[in-house]
Amino acid sequence: MSSKVLLTGGAGYIGSHTYVELVAAGLEVVIVDNFSNARRDVLDRLEIITGAKVTCYEGDVLDAGFLDQVLAENAFDAAVHYAGKKAVGESVENPLDYFRTNCVGFSTLLAALDEADVRRVVFSSTATVYGKPDILPLPENHATRPESPYAENKLICETLLRQLKTSDDRWSYGILRYFNPAGAHPSSLIGEDPNDIPNNLMPYIARVATGDLARLRVFGDDYDTPDGTGVRDYIHVVDLAKGHIQSLRKLIDKDESHIVNLSTGTGYSVLDMLRAYEKACGKTLPYEVTGRRAGDIDGFWGDPTLASNLLGFKAVRDLDDMCQTSWNWVSRKTNSRNRP
Ligand code: UFG
């Protein structure tokens, strides 16, 4: 497959890992990023990993003129869209901001793509669109009940893609509903690097392991789960990234739209994650059990069957690999920061 792909948000956590896999699969990739939640040196690191020059346009998906220029200068076969905001709690506080970036940004991109005759889109969605599960593992035909502006934004974007396809059959889409991404690239050159105190479990544990945060706060141990702590389906970011290649193949080679979970089918609790991270970093990590976090649910994990049948997707990296690569990444960063 030799095609040219536009990758919005390509300097971010999942976007940068996807960039590496796209290049490895022989695709030509152009990144668009506004660097609002990504560092510029990610581009240098991507060049080291891939051994090739990175093409990146700095700008915003809300800027139609900017997008037109990028699209005029490149003949794309497809787009993979990540650029957006992703903190559930923040979305509750700033619904307007979230709607603008996530929904208006995406519709601006789609309009520019349409104008440029690029009608294959892989969209980064989330398992959060399901809301509280009726059954587990969660299949794709489960009801969608978004419980936050962030989840609602993602569902609106999914709906828009489906409506576009209905209006014009030349569109095709791959909607990928991610479960909980974790881990880092084996090179330790790219990984998750939140600007503020992390909201999510894995990067929080990582900061406890580096000594930047004193202890993990376990949000509740009275859930209806084996050890009482919340259970989630953690998926290695490299597996997740590879899923995008399979989704793109389906669009480019077969023109088949799809909505699939990117999940492992297995759930781990907060304490499972802590123990696995302790094993990876070789330290005991302090924690305290605090109250439940508003909006959290007991447990959910995905049904990976459809992704396997439709795309041939299978997550193969295990929890130890997620923790080890995360630890390698954060400890390498901490060491270089402390170097004189
Ligand atoms: N948790 C803690 N302490 C922390 C952080 C999290 O105990 O400091 C617990 C949570 O209560 C939950 C589990 O760890 O039980 C996972 O929490 P995360 O915040 O890492 O992940 P969520 O499942 O809440 O949500 C994440 C992303 C969403 C995404 C969703 C997809 O934040 O954007 O996964 O499944 F949509």
Side-chain angles (χ1 to χ4, degrees), residues 36-294:
S36 60
N37 192 27
R39 292 167 49 122
R40 283 180 181 75
D41 68 2
V42 166
L43 304 181
D44 303 329
R45 290 153 182 266
L46 290 176
E47 291 192 349
I48 296 170
I49 296 171
T50 60
K53 182 118 193 63
V54 170
T55 305
C56 175
Y57 289 78
E58 182 167 349
D60 206 297
V61 288
L62 282 160
D63 183 345
F66 162 71
L67 292 176
D68 288 344
Q69 184 205 333
V70 175
L71 286 156
E73 289 175 13
N74 299 275
F76 292 112
D77 298 286
V80 178
H81 179 63
Y82 287 103
K85 293 175 181 279
K86 60 173 184 176
V88 174
E90 191 181 60
S91 78
V92 176
E93 283 156 30
N94 303 311
L96 266 179
D97 196 26
Y98 265 66
F99 186 86
R100 198 170 122 77
T101 303
N102 291 348
C103 299
V104 181
F106 188 47
S107 64
T108 307
L109 174 68
L110 290 173
L113 290 172
D114 194 25
E115 192 69 28
D117 276 328
V118 182
R119 296 190 187 83
R120 296 184 190 99
V121 179
V122 173
F123 177 65
S124 146
S125 190
T126 169
T128 314
V129 296
Y130 295 120
K132 208 169 160 42
D134 297 329
I135 48 162
L136 288 168
L138 278 156
E140 288 81 355
N141 61 4
H142 187 280
T144 48
R145 289 187 289 256
E147 288 173 10
S148 66
Y150 165 72
E152 188 82 60
N153 292 167
K154 290 290 185 182
L155 195 58
I156 288 169
C157 293
E158 287 193 6
T159 306
L160 183 54
L161 278 172
R162 289 192 290 106
Q163 290 169 341
L164 270 180
K165 171 93 185 145
T166 305
S167 74
D168 181 344
D169 202 40
R170 289 175 300 171
W171 284 94
S172 60
Y173 59 78
I175 292 172
L176 306 180
R177 292 179 175 160
Y178 307 159
F179 283 67
N180 293 46
H185 194 262
S187 64
S188 306
L189 287 168
I190 51 172
E192 193 167 13
D193 194 9
N195 286 334
D196 304 317
I197 294 180
N199 294 306
N200 297 122
L201 180 64
M202 186 72 139
Y204 200 103
I205 295 178
R207 295 248 172 118
V208 176
T210 55
D212 291 324
L213 292 167
R215 66 183 62 80
L216 173 69
R217 289 166 308 152
V218 175
F219 296 143
D221 65 353
D222 56 353
Y223 283 107
D224 184 16
T225 62
D227 67 15
T229 67
V231 168
R232 299 289 184 275
D233 186 336
Y234 297 92
I235 177 166
H236 198 297
V237 65
V238 172
D239 283 330
L240 198 66
K242 286 179 184 290
H244 294 69
I245 315 300
Q246 287 155 305
S247 176
L248 268 174
R249 280 218 164 101
K250 205 65 174 171
L251 301 187
I252 295 174
D253 300 344
K254 301 258 166 63
D255 195 27
E256 280 177 26
S257 297
H258 48 274
I259 302 180
V260 299
N261 291 333
L262 291 185
S263 63
T264 68
T266 305
Y268 289 103
S269 75
V270 175
L271 294 180
D272 290 335
M273 296 300 287
L274 188 71
R275 300 290 171 240
Y277 214 98
E278 287 182 333
K279 194 167 121 197
C281 70
K283 302 180 202 181
T284 300
L285 302 175
Y287 73 93
E288 62 177 330
V289 177
T290 64
R292 291 183 174 199
R293 183 172 66 178

